[in-house]
Amino acid sequence: MSQLITYLTFNGNCREAMLFYQSCLGGELYFQTLEESPKTKNLPNNYKKYILQAILKKENIVLMGTDLFDEDRLLQGNTIAILLKSSDETKIRKYYSSFSKKKTVSLPLKRNHWGILFGSITDTYGIRWLFSCNN
């Protein structure tokens, strides 16, 4: 099964925005801060409250968000990414490979410290795609 999920990037106000979306849509909201991540112990305290990942779920609705973005400053247009998530690793590798043919920027598809297969591509049209597989 494959799924497209909207993934939003904020400039330090992810928690506020996601709480607003929850008030509009209902559902269960989960947050993970940088403080809860094992590789961020040396960050300044004011960064530790930033949202690493937020997930809002209600029925078939999934809205995700973060306060983190690449080295480039946050610009209108790079605040939204399309997350393609699958439990089938072969499919995710195929999708990543297909999108790689027209990429401008990429994060190699590899397992992160949670064991999730993850990578990203910004295509030649300026759309940021995230690829994720839990298996």
Side-chain angles (χ1 to χ4, degrees):
M1 178 179 141
S2 299
Q3 186 177 18
L4 285 175
I5 298 171
T6 302
Y7 199 103
L8 306 171
T9 303
F10 299 93
N11 195 10
N13 59 348
C14 180
R15 182 181 299 276
E16 176 185 326
M18 295 298 287
L19 286 167
F20 172 72
Y21 299 145
Q22 182 187 35
S23 75
C24 294
L25 300 169
E28 297 292 321
L29 181 58
Y30 308 93
F31 291 106
Q32 181 183 22
T33 63
L34 282 173
E35 188 171 45
E36 297 166 313
S37 179
K39 295 188 175 189
T40 59
K41 291 178 180 150
N42 296 327
L43 284 178
N45 284 337
N46 58 324
Y47 285 101
K48 291 183 179 181
K49 298 298 180 195
Y50 279 13
I51 302 300
L52 179 61
Q53 184 165 274
I55 304 170
L56 176 61
K57 293 181 181 181
K58 180 182 180 186
E59 299 166 2
N60 290 331
I61 297 171
V62 179
L63 181 63
M64 297 177 71
T66 186
D67 281 321
L68 305 180
F69 47 91
D70 298 330
E71 291 93 32
D72 296 333
R73 62 182 173 52
L74 190 63
L75 301 170
Q76 192 64 21
N78 73 351
T79 59
I80 298 175
I82 298 172
L83 174 61
L84 183 55
K85 183 177 180 181
S86 177
S87 58
D88 184 333
E89 184 173 329
T90 302
K91 278 187 181 178
I92 284 297
R93 290 189 182 280
K94 182 179 175 186
Y95 292 142
Y96 184 88
S97 177
S98 295
F99 277 84
S100 292
K101 295 174 184 170
K102 287 195 170 187
K103 69 178 183 196
T104 58
V105 178
S106 69
L107 174 66
L109 191 62
K110 63 181 181 181
R111 297 218 177 265
N112 64 19
H113 62 277
W114 293 296
I116 295 171
L117 187 64
F118 183 82
S120 71
I121 291 172
T122 301
D123 66 25
T124 56
Y125 311 105
I127 303 299
R128 186 167 174 224
W129 291 87
L130 307 176
F131 302 85
S132 177
C133 180
N134 292 341
N135 290 340

